[in-house]
Amino acid sequence: MTDPRPIRFFHQGQLQAVTGLPPPTTVLQYLREHARCAGTKEGCAEGDCGACTVLVGELDADGKTVELRNVNACIQFLPMLDGKALLTVEDLGHSADLNPVQQALVDCHGSQCGFCTPGFAMTMQAIYERHQACGTRPERQALADDLAGNLCRCTGYRPILDAGERMFDAPARTIARAPIVEALRVLAEDPPLHYEALSRAGSPQRVFAPRSIDEFAALREAMPQARIVAGATDVGLWVNKQQRELGDVILTGSVEEMRRIDTVAGQGTGVGNGNGNGHGTTLRIGASVTLEAAWSALTERVPALRELWLRFASPPVRHAGTLGGNIANGSPIGDGAPALIALGARIVLRRGATQRTLPLEAFYLDYMKNALEPGEFVEALEVPAPPPGTRLRGYKLAKRYDSDISAVCAVLSLRLEDGVVRDARFAFGGMAAIVKRAAKAEAAVTGRAWDEAASIAAAAALKDDFKPMTDLRASASYRERTAANLIRRFWLETRANAPVAAESASVWQAVNLHRSVA
């Protein structure tokens, strides 16, 4: 265990060292109350509105340049900045020298009351930097997808999207990265973070950020009551909204082994194995891999999950949160578990030097209860490639299209041989106290032809699989009916004769059809 030291990061053109602040101080609180950078706003304090968006920079794998990602400052704890760079709206430009993003927002009247504008500017800067590096320009719908985590009550978004297109017309002007790279290399020489200060309640609190998996495992075994924090996209709300004390904290974000995605040959289990196009291989996703990177890898392998990826929270949340944290949290309305369970994923748990692996569906025991033992943690997730003959779709029902929590999430998979279902995995979130498979619905189709009668039998069997509750997101009857309808939609999209194109049911397809008719 290293000696206590300050939190160190790069901000406002120089290295910052912070001591004495309570460990759960958010980046937003630090900016407004201590750094006097008031451009970053607090709108919701729960990662929904995007008014507090900032850019966080880290060295890439080669240590040659900086990778920038937009995140919500309101649910990021200050110790999570250690060793990184923080950029805010104050770093973009000033009234006498606006950069292309700011100038485009002015020219296109992308701001009215202006409260949300700094957050939009930071997300647009992240988009701008990414596309300038690749020499590309985003389509308008891609801009809308990237801006899904920024809400505005005034403009109706059209002028903001106009500005997103206009900003690429000006001569390129990106953030100077050389000073950031130099500073981050200096910070990389610091020992792993061990920060101590009084909590908001006045009790001693420690934060540790080990850098190797062995250090993390040893620390966790020695401190089984410590709170593990990955992206804080959920834990941040515990602090902001519920005023909860976290006690000692162990951060996962600096453990390099847990931030990797590896392809492992010959370990495909769960759904099955096959040959060709990745079949027979397994994706090993470290528990600290961001949601964005994890979903990108999953979607590359299973393109049918793309819409579920885009609708999983917002880009700032996906850039901070982790797939391992989402799975360990175990919310019954989480969207990660249904996809992974349908894919036959296994969860790798570790305590000290001992590992054990479970099918993911066996990890969840009851509402917010899982199979973790004291001193144990989630190390990785193993996702086998779907075998030949697999049909898979992911569906999300929510009150909003973007950045909303599911009422029902269904990921449905079956493997066909000569038109007969040999294996079915129907995973549902929002239907029970845990994410779980619809065992009776699966049994209703296994061993028979995948036809309309089979889909009707499966939909009927759902009534014996789930007894959903009524809550603020949906009634029990709504959940029962829509879950059954999703099975029918799955059949329509995967039937042998004249399958319905998945995009034909898209809300955007309906909008475009309305426009063409009008």
Side-chain angles (χ1 to χ4, degrees):
M1 190 177 294
T2 59
D3 293 331
R5 67 167 178 85
I7 303 165
R8 300 217 318 146
F9 55 94
F10 181 77
H11 177 230
Q12 291 284 284
Q14 58 186 345
L15 294 177
Q16 308 290 336
V18 176
T19 59
L21 293 182
T25 299
T26 65
V27 173
L28 177 61
Q29 290 166 339
Y30 168 78
L31 286 171
R32 295 186 61 83
E33 299 171 13
H34 302 280
R36 297 295 186 263
C37 292
T40 307
K41 310 299 185 185
E42 178 180 313
C44 65
E46 56 188 52
D48 271 349
C49 73
C52 68
T53 304
V54 297
L55 301 187
V56 172
E58 296 183 74
L59 289 175
D60 67 359
D62 297 327
K64 295 181 179 180
T65 189
V66 177
E67 295 180 343
L68 298 172
R69 51 193 172 92
N70 51 311
V71 302
N72 297 303
C74 67
I75 50 174
Q76 292 286 288
F77 299 134
L78 194 61
M80 298 167 66
L81 273 185
D82 188 69
K84 300 178 176 65
L86 173 64
L87 301 176
T88 66
V89 70
E90 288 86 357
D91 294 294
L92 299 189
H94 51 80
S95 58
D97 184 26
L98 299 179
N99 81 350
V101 171
Q102 296 167 310
Q103 190 63 57
L105 283 167
V106 171
D107 293 342
C108 295
H109 305 285
S111 175
Q112 288 192 22
C113 82
F115 190 87
C116 68
T117 305
F120 272 98
M122 296 310 293
T123 292
M124 291 169 67
Q125 188 69 40
I127 299 168
Y128 182 81
E129 296 284 332
R130 185 172 74 248
H131 283 279
Q132 290 290 5
C134 300
T136 57
R137 290 182 66 142
E139 298 289 336
R140 194 174 180 92
Q141 183 57 51
L143 282 168
D145 291 336
D146 282 337
L147 286 164
N150 293 85
L151 305 183
C152 177
R153 293 180 180 271
C154 301
T155 67
Y157 301 106
R158 181 193 56 76
I160 298 173
L161 292 173
D162 290 344
E165 294 178 318
R166 177 79 65 86
M167 65 187 181
F168 290 97
D169 293 339
R173 177 179 163 186
T174 57
I175 292 171
R177 303 199 181 196
I180 304 176
V181 170
E182 182 180 354
L184 294 182
R185 287 174 178 169
V186 171
L187 292 174
E189 300 299 319
D190 288 348
L193 180 66
H194 170 187
Y195 179 73
E196 294 187 3
L198 295 180
S199 71
R200 293 173 178 175
S203 57
Q205 189 175 7
R206 300 175 294 175
V207 178
F208 299 91
R211 293 178 183 167
S212 76
I213 189 67
D214 290 338
E215 292 171 355
F216 187 94
L219 195 59
R220 178 58 173 166
E221 191 171 27
M223 303 172 61
Q225 302 304 317
R227 175 70 60 186
I228 293 178
V229 175
T233 54
D234 195 39
V235 176
L237 275 67
W238 299 357
V239 174
N240 289 348
K241 300 300 185 180
Q242 301 175 13
Q243 305 300 308
R244 287 169 61 174
E245 287 285 304
L246 299 181
D248 290 335
V249 169
I250 306 175
L251 300 175
T252 70
S254 297
V255 182
E256 192 58 38
E257 296 96 324
M258 294 170 67
R259 300 179 64 179
R260 293 202 304 254
I261 300 177
D262 299 308
T263 301
V264 183
Q267 292 191 17
T269 56
V271 175
N273 300 312
N275 297 309
N277 193 28
H279 298 310
T281 63
T282 292
L283 282 180
R284 192 179 194 277
I285 303 174
S288 294
V289 172
T290 65
L291 288 163
E292 186 74 0
W295 277 98
S296 177
L298 290 171
T299 303
E300 183 176 353
R301 177 171 279 196
V302 187
L305 291 175
R306 173 173 169 75
E307 183 173 317
L308 200 57
W309 168 26
L310 292 178
R311 297 186 62 195
F312 189 111
S314 65
V317 169
R318 297 198 304 265
H319 294 158
T322 66
L323 186 60
N326 176 255
I327 295 302
N329 182 47
S331 169
I333 48 176
D335 296 338
L340 294 183
I341 288 174
L343 288 167
R346 299 175 67 82
I347 187 167
V348 181
L349 308 178
R350 177 166 173 170
R351 181 172 59 186
T354 303
Q355 286 183 341
R356 64 184 178 113
T357 304
L358 299 174
L360 181 55
E361 60 260 41
F363 179 66
Y364 300 117
L365 305 179
D366 202 345
Y367 178 71
M368 303 304 286
K369 293 182 180 179
N370 57 46
L372 279 172
E373 297 176 353
E376 201 170 38
F377 63 94
V378 178
E379 181 177 356
L381 295 152
E382 296 177 345
V383 188
T390 297
R391 305 288 185 270
L392 184 144
R393 295 291 187 275
Y395 306 114
K396 173 170 179 159
L397 303 180
K399 293 184 176 180
R400 296 195 308 257
Y401 183 85
D402 286 316
S403 191
D404 199 6
I405 295 173
S406 293
V408 176
C409 179
V411 183
L412 311 176
S413 173
L414 49 79
R415 179 170 59 88
L416 299 177
E417 291 181 1
D418 298 324
V420 175
V421 179
R422 298 303 181 193
D423 182 52
R425 300 178 71 89
F426 297 164
F428 285 85
M431 296 291 288
I434 59 174
V435 174
K436 61 179 290 189
R437 293 171 62 179
K440 290 184 171 58
E442 293 173 357
V445 301
T446 303
R448 62 185 294 179
W450 181 232
D451 53 20
E452 186 171 13
S455 69
I456 292 172
L462 281 178
K463 292 184 178 180
D464 296 322
D465 278 313
F466 301 110
K467 301 297 180 187
M469 64 180 291
T470 294
D471 61 16
L472 58 87
R473 293 186 177 87
S475 66
S477 61
Y478 174 88
R479 287 185 163 108
E480 287 179 349
R481 183 173 181 178
T482 55
N485 288 344
L486 290 177
I487 289 183
R488 177 167 178 79
R489 177 178 171 182
F490 180 50
W491 173 71
L492 289 171
E493 292 180 5
T494 59
R495 62 188 178 183
N497 297 320
V500 175
E503 58 269 19
S504 67
S506 166
V507 63
W508 306 120
Q509 184 80 1
V511 169
N512 292 334
L513 178 62
H514 174 75
R515 286 173 176 167
S516 65
V517 172

